[in-house]
């Protein structure tokens, strides 16, 4: 629409009045406006986007900023572990003052390192923080515990408790003091020392009494026992005997678990829908004894176990409503298993499939006509799958997929992805590429443009290709801009460290989306984000 000349003249006059001083110098209409003129509530909202370490720096600017920085609304979720948050409290006296003055009734979540876990601190939290519902106690580096003989109080409204265990310190003296206060727990994490690999085998200590703990926590809904070297089938049996509300049990990397009590577990825990057993020492005969057809199981992880082909067929054809399956790194998971499973029709509700490193799967098995309502596919390092077979499969089922991971296969390049992106309109998770150096180049500008225009619901994206294989031009910024603007739900974009990573990261940071772009050194994307209990299972 054309604007009349007189209107242009009026606009020019107003602009000259706003921007020109008497001396003819340009001047901004906001020249006299400073951050000091912002209301406290606006400043408080700005501070809410900062980390606590940054907020503490802001508190040193002036008295007013100090007052805003210490507002309890900014201190509802607090980690005092320096390696996690960068915050270090130098003395117990300082922490007690913080609890009383800065945290108070607003505190909902707190993480404490071993040196700050004392009966005095716990008493103060119980007295001054009545709304505390989530607590993490890190004993992992402990060589000895404080004296808890005088402890008479503990937070009573806890819904979530995470305890990072020590390798050698026995916890029963402390646990005995808190049993009467934790019967309202719904989520329990016990984190072991699986990642601390020793060259020589040492004596294994049962540093916490699970059999007593289960009696004090009858309302548990989610139990995560991660990498605990003493946990075995008897501990699973103990929890199932008392926790009738149990919905999710994770015993990943508890290598003494063989599945001998799984039958009893499902008989007692009728509400159990999620069972994660990655890296356990499962025995096929134990798994086959479970009455799978009577279970409510919907999510199952048996990755890196040694289950036989016979066992996998028996299990998968009897589970009636499986939504999520992770069964990678199992030699027994082959064409026969997949064919029997699809023909049984029990895969009709599948939401996520991860067959990472299953080299025994062929084209014919994957492109079966009977894939039900499959909405997620993860194929990692399956050299027997051709790009033609994958294209045929995605042409039939791509529109239903919520997650697609085609990783670790050098022959799957950007050409296949470009040909199927228009079909992946419902994708939330995409994982592509291989860390192996390729003989061909990946034209990442066109790839980013295709993703942006085809996948508006995308939340997580990972490109695993070697930086040396990525080819991009001076127009890369435009392609990145389109991705950033069109994929507004994108929370995580993972790239291998290199020049392209720096370009993408700088682009998102200029748009104040500083947490989106990450390097593969520190982050990996998986289908696990589709687990219904994913948020409850997170720990750090």
């Amino acid at each position: 629409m054309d604007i009349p000349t007189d209107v242009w003249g009026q606009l020019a006059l107003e602009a000259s009045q706003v921007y020109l001083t008497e001396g003819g110098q340009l001047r901004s209409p906001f020249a006299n406006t400073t951050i000091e003129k912002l209301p406290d509530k606006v400043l408080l909202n700005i501070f809410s986007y900062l980390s606590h370490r940054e907020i503490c720096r802001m508190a040193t600017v002036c008295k007013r900023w100090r007052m805003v920085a210490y507002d309890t609304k900014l201190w509802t979720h607090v980690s005092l572990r320096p390696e996690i948050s960068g915050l270090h409290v130098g003395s117990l006296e300082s922490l007690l003052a913080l609890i009383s003055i800065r945290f108070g009734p607003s505190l909902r979540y707190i993480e404490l390192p071993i040196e700050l876990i004392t009966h005095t601190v716990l008493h103060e939290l119980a007295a001054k923080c009545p709304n505390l519902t989530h607590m993490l106690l890190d004993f992992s580096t402990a060589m000895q515990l404080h004296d808890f003989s005088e402890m008479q109080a503990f937070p009573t409204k806890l819904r979530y408790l995470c305890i990072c265990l020590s390798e050698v310190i026995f916890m029963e003296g402390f646990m005995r003091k808190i049993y009467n206060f934790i019967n309202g727990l719904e989520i329990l994490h016990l984190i072991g020392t699986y990642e601390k690999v020793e060259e020589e085998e040492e004596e294994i200590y049962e540093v916490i009494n699970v059999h007593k703990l289960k009696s004090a926590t009858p309302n548990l809904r989610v139990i995560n026992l991660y990498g605990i070297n003493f946990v075995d089938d008897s501990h699973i049996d103990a929890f199932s005997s008392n926790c009738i509300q149990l919905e999710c049990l994770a015993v990943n990397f508890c290598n003494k678990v063989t599945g001998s009590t799984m039958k009893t577990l499902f008989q007692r825990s009728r509400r159990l829908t999620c069972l994660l057993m990655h890296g356990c020492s499962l025995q096929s005969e134990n798994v086959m004894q479970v009455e799978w057809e009577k279970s409510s199981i919907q999510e199952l992880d048996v990755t890196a176990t040694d289950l036989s082909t016979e066992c996998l067929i028996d299990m998968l054809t009897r589970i009636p409503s499986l939504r999520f399956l992770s069964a990678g790194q199992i030699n027994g998971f082959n064409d026969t298993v997949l064919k029997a499973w699809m023909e049984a029709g029990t895969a009709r509700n599948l939401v996520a499939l991860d067959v990472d490193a299953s080299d025994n799967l062929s084209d014919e098995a994957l492109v079966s006509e009977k894939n039900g309502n499959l909405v997620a596919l993860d194929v990692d390092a399956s050299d027997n799958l051709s790009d033609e077979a994958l294209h045929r499969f995605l042409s039939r089922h791509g529109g239903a997929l919520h997650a697609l991971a085609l990783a670790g296969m050098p022959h799957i390049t950007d050409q296949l992805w470009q040909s199927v992106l228009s079909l992946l309109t419902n994708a939330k998770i995409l994982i592509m590429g291989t860390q192996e150096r390729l003989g061909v180049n990946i034209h990442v500008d066109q790839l980013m443009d295709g993703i942006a225009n085809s996948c508006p619901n995308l939340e997580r994206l990972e490109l695993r290709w070697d930086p040396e294989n990525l080819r991009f031009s001076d127009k890369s910024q435009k392609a990145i801009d389109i991705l950033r603007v069109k994929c507004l739900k994108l929370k995580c974009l993972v790239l291998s460290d290199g020049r392209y990573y720096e370009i993408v990261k700088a682009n998102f940071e200029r748009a104040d989306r500083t947490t989106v772009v990450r390097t593969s050194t520190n982050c990996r994307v998986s289908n696990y984000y589709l687990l219904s209990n994913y948020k409850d299972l997170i720990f750090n």
Side-chain angles (χ1 to χ4, degrees):
M1 182 178 66
D2 293 335
I3 299 178
T5 304
D6 58 335
V7 176
W8 278 116
Q10 181 64 28
L11 291 173
L13 177 62
E14 292 178 0
S16 64
Q17 291 174 341
V18 172
Y19 291 103
L20 295 178
T21 64
E22 293 180 357
Q25 299 296 318
L26 289 175
R27 183 177 181 181
S28 168
F30 304 106
N32 294 324
T33 303
T34 67
I35 197 170
E36 288 301 318
K37 293 188 178 182
L38 291 177
D40 285 353
K41 64 180 181 180
V42 175
L43 200 59
L44 182 67
N45 189 50
I46 294 172
F47 280 21
S48 70
Y49 290 92
L50 303 178
S51 69
H52 284 142
R53 187 177 183 181
E54 292 168 331
I55 290 174
C56 288
R57 291 197 188 114
M58 297 302 102
T60 63
V61 172
C62 61
K63 289 183 179 179
R64 181 182 174 227
W65 282 31
R66 182 183 179 89
M67 179 187 69
V68 174
Y70 289 171
D71 191 301
T72 58
K73 295 184 182 68
L74 296 175
W75 299 86
T76 59
H77 294 68
V78 180
S79 173
L80 298 179
R81 294 192 291 166
E83 69 276 14
I84 301 298
S85 65
L87 291 183
H88 177 71
V89 177
S91 66
L92 291 175
E93 291 74 17
S94 299
L95 176 56
L96 295 175
L98 290 174
I99 293 172
S100 179
I101 299 172
R102 196 178 309 178
F103 300 163
S106 296
L107 188 66
R108 300 290 191 277
Y109 176 103
I110 192 168
E111 297 181 1
L112 296 174
I114 176 60
E115 62 270 18
L116 299 180
I117 306 174
T118 69
H119 74 275
T120 307
V121 169
L122 296 173
H123 282 181
E124 195 73 1
L125 287 172
K128 301 295 178 60
C129 305
N131 297 311
L132 182 61
T133 57
H134 291 64
M135 176 181 283
L136 183 148
L137 303 176
D138 188 353
F139 293 96
S140 61
T141 59
M143 297 308 294
Q144 67 178 34
L145 296 183
H146 293 283
D147 181 8
F148 293 99
S149 60
E150 298 182 11
M151 190 166 77
Q152 304 297 328
F154 192 78
T156 57
K157 291 187 179 181
L158 289 183
R159 188 179 71 87
Y160 169 108
L161 178 62
C162 179
I163 299 178
C164 300
L165 303 176
S166 166
E167 289 183 295
V168 295
I169 301 300
F170 293 93
M171 302 286 298
E172 192 53 34
F174 168 76
M175 297 301 296
R176 193 164 45 243
K177 290 291 185 177
I178 71 171
Y179 284 146
N180 292 333
F181 302 98
I182 59 174
N183 58 8
L185 279 184
E186 296 180 20
I187 302 167
L188 174 66
H189 290 254
L190 297 180
I191 309 304
T193 53
Y194 166 78
E195 295 181 354
K196 296 182 179 179
V197 179
E198 298 291 342
E199 293 184 0
E200 298 180 2
E201 291 188 6
E202 297 182 358
E203 185 176 356
I204 297 175
Y205 301 102
E206 191 165 339
V207 297
I208 194 167
N209 193 323
V210 173
H211 296 276
K212 290 184 178 179
L213 176 60
K214 60 96 176 179
S215 299
T217 53
N219 296 306
L220 287 178
R221 181 173 54 82
V222 176
I223 299 173
N224 181 23
L225 311 178
Y226 181 90
I228 306 177
N229 53 14
F230 65 81
V231 163
D232 57 27
D233 298 279
S234 69
H235 299 105
I236 295 177
D237 186 65
F239 275 120
S240 68
S241 68
N242 194 54
C243 303
I244 61 174
Q245 310 292 335
L246 190 60
E247 298 175 6
C248 175
L249 175 64
V251 288
N252 291 337
F253 305 106
C254 295
N255 55 23
K256 285 193 173 183
V257 172
T258 67
S260 62
T261 61
M262 282 179 63
K263 181 178 180 179
T264 306
L265 168 68
F266 281 102
Q267 289 173 341
R268 292 170 175 171
S269 305
R270 295 297 182 181
R271 298 185 180 184
L272 187 65
T273 58
C274 179
L275 179 62
L276 309 179
M277 310 185 81
H278 187 137
C280 292
S281 302
L282 295 180
Q283 296 180 8
S284 295
E285 56 268 28
N286 293 334
V287 175
M288 294 173 69
Q289 291 177 7
V290 176
E291 296 175 316
W292 293 107
E293 62 276 1
K294 296 181 180 179
S295 73
S296 300
I297 198 71
Q298 296 181 11
E299 300 167 341
L300 179 65
D301 186 353
V302 289
T303 300
T305 57
D306 197 25
L307 297 180
S308 66
T309 297
E310 180 188 9
C311 174
L312 290 166
I313 292 175
D314 176 79
M315 176 179 66
L316 294 177
T317 56
R318 288 196 289 137
I319 300 177
S321 302
L322 197 61
R323 297 176 60 253
F324 179 103
L325 174 66
S326 182
Q329 303 172 47
I330 301 179
N331 290 331
F333 200 107
N334 53 28
D335 290 3
T336 306
V337 174
L338 195 57
K339 182 179 179 181
W341 184 27
M342 297 307 174
E343 290 181 347
T346 52
R348 58 185 176 273
N349 295 317
L350 203 62
V351 172
L353 173 62
D354 183 342
V355 286
D356 180 3
S358 293
D359 292 337
N360 296 324
L361 288 177
S362 69
D363 300 354
E364 289 75 15
L366 188 63
V367 298
S368 167
E369 292 286 353
K370 299 182 179 180
N371 279 310
N373 295 322
L374 179 68
V375 294
L377 175 68
D378 188 335
V379 183
D380 193 339
S382 289
D383 293 335
N384 293 330
L385 290 172
S386 66
D387 50 358
E388 292 86 1
L390 287 168
H391 190 278
R392 292 199 304 271
F393 175 85
L394 294 173
S395 296
R396 293 174 184 149
H397 306 289
L401 292 176
H402 287 183
L404 177 60
L406 301 177
M409 294 176 284
H411 62 289
I412 303 300
T413 65
D414 54 327
Q415 292 185 358
L416 174 66
W417 281 100
Q418 289 284 19
S419 67
V420 301
L421 279 174
S422 61
L423 305 172
L424 305 176
T425 54
N426 290 311
K428 296 180 180 179
I429 300 171
L430 293 178
I431 306 170
M432 55 186 74
T434 176
Q435 294 178 330
E436 181 180 343
R437 186 72 65 85
L438 303 179
V440 297
N441 295 324
I442 305 299
H443 300 281
V444 70
D445 289 349
Q446 294 92 319
L447 189 59
M448 286 293 197
D449 187 74
I451 294 170
N453 287 299
S454 302
C455 309
N457 298 316
L458 195 64
E459 296 180 7
R460 301 180 186 275
L461 171 65
E462 180 173 359
L463 274 62
R464 295 181 180 174
W465 283 295
D466 188 291
E468 295 299 322
N469 286 124
L470 299 182
R471 290 296 176 267
F472 47 92
S473 66
D474 295 337
K475 297 181 180 180
S476 288
Q477 291 289 354
K478 182 178 179 181
I480 301 167
D481 286 339
I482 295 174
L483 178 74
R484 177 171 46 77
V485 171
K486 290 196 173 184
C487 297
L488 295 176
K489 297 180 182 179
L490 191 63
K491 302 174 183 176
C492 179
L493 171 53
V494 180
L495 300 165
S496 296
D497 199 2
R499 187 184 168 202
Y500 188 71
Y501 163 79
E502 296 297 337
I503 293 173
V504 176
K505 183 176 178 62
N507 183 291
F508 274 78
E509 287 181 344
R510 284 195 297 272
D512 293 328
R513 295 179 66 182
T514 57
T515 62
V516 174
V517 183
R518 308 171 191 181
T519 174
S520 57
T521 304
N522 300 316
C523 183
R524 293 294 292 269
V525 173
S526 80
N527 285 351
Y528 259 68
Y529 299 106
L530 297 179
L531 285 174
S532 55
N533 293 285
Y534 174 71
K535 291 184 178 180
D536 291 335
L537 288 168
I538 294 175
F539 67 92
N540 58 32

